């Protein structure tokens, strides 16, 4: 039995789409269909020619625990480019609530919330224009959740977001798909 059927939708550049619904309703399946990482059993999915996807989940295991926060983010560079704008690494990390002292700490000494913020900092330096996030709010503390909302508000690209956190979704999306299951 298909999880998604009879759906015809166009997601335009700059839109922020939330996908909500109970567990097992097909949220992640729909997300994977929209991104082309899952092929539909019938019908088609067309992805724009200039779309560069960035998946939040791809970064979860990508921290060098022995390296510092700065080394993990900038790999030796003093400046990074965000959306065409050059930023000093320490200034950028302050947007993610890292003081210069914490930015010089090895990742293994960070709290879970700090590691989550480092992953988010790495995410927003990826060159892409379609950000795909499947349950990014899991395991985030309130401070990190608020910071993520601010970063997403400033994100210039398109966003596809699966989350159970309805307040978070309502604060960052322009539209929603509601998966009701069945």
């Amino acid at each position: 039995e298909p999880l998604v059927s009879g759906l015809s939708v166009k997601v335009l550049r700059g839109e922020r789409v939330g996908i909500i619904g109970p567990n097992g309703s097909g949220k992640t399946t729909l997300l994977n269909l929209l991104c082309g990482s899952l092929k539909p059993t019938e019908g088609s999915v067309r992805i724009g020619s200039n779309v560069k996807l960035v998946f939040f989940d791809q970064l979860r295991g990508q921290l060098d625990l022995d390296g510092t926060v700065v080394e993990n983010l900038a790999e030796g560079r003093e400046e990074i480019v965000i959306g065409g704008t050059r930023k000093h690494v320490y200034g950028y990390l302050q947007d993610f609530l890292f003081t210069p002292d914490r930015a010089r700490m090895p990742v293994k000494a960070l709290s879970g919330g700090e590691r989550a913020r480092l992953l988010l900092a790495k995410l927003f330096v990826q060159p892409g224009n379609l950000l795909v996030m499947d349950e990014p709010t899991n395991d985030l503390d309130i401070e990190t959740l608020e910071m993520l909302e601010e970063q997403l508000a400033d994100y210039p690209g398109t966003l596809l977001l699966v989350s159970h956190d309805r307040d978070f979704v309502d604060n960052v999306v322009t539209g929603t798909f509601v998966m009701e299951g069945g």
Side-chain angles (χ1 to χ4, degrees):
E1 184 182 330
L3 285 170
V4 180
S5 63
L7 177 68
S8 178
V9 65
K10 193 179 267 190
V11 177
L12 300 174
R13 180 185 306 144
E15 283 189 309
R16 297 153 179 279
V17 179
I19 303 171
I20 58 174
N23 284 336
S25 61
K27 297 182 301 292
T28 299
T29 300
L30 177 59
L31 189 69
N32 288 328
L33 285 166
L34 291 172
C35 296
S37 54
L38 189 63
K39 297 284 175 244
T41 51
E42 57 184 65
S44 63
V45 174
R46 220 176 74 235
I47 296 177
S49 56
N50 293 323
V51 171
K52 291 186 188 73
L53 275 89
V54 177
F55 286 93
F56 173 63
D57 271 0
Q58 289 174 337
L59 296 174
R60 282 197 191 265
Q62 292 184 2
L63 293 178
D64 170 10
L65 298 181
D66 294 320
T68 65
V69 171
V70 169
E71 288 165 351
N72 266 273
L73 177 72
E75 296 159 1
R77 300 182 309 256
E78 286 194 18
E79 290 185 330
I80 47 180
V81 178
I82 312 288
T85 308
R86 291 190 164 287
K87 268 194 153 178
H88 195 276
V89 169
Y90 288 98
Y92 176 70
L93 281 168
Q94 282 183 323
D95 294 345
F96 292 85
L97 313 176
F98 286 100
T99 63
D101 282 346
R102 293 304 285 174
R104 289 188 281 272
M105 298 282 294
V107 171
K108 62 184 167 198
L110 300 180
S111 69
E114 287 172 318
R115 288 182 193 195
R117 291 201 305 271
L118 174 55
L119 284 173
L120 292 168
K122 284 181 67 124
L123 177 72
F124 287 102
V125 298
Q126 303 294 313
N129 54 16
L130 172 57
L131 179 54
V132 180
M133 304 184 97
D134 193 352
E135 298 288 0
T137 58
N138 285 358
D139 312 320
L140 296 187
D141 56 41
I142 298 295
E143 199 176 27
T144 305
L145 197 58
E146 289 172 354
M147 189 253 358
L148 175 57
E149 268 184 37
E150 288 169 23
Q151 293 297 324
L152 289 173
D154 294 338
Y155 181 68
T158 305
L159 173 67
L160 293 176
L161 168 71
V162 169
S163 180
H164 284 286
D165 186 332
R166 193 60 200 261
D167 286 337
F168 176 77
V169 170
D170 288 345
N171 288 339
V172 298
V173 304
T174 55
T176 51
F177 294 140
V178 179
M179 307 291 287
E180 295 176 333

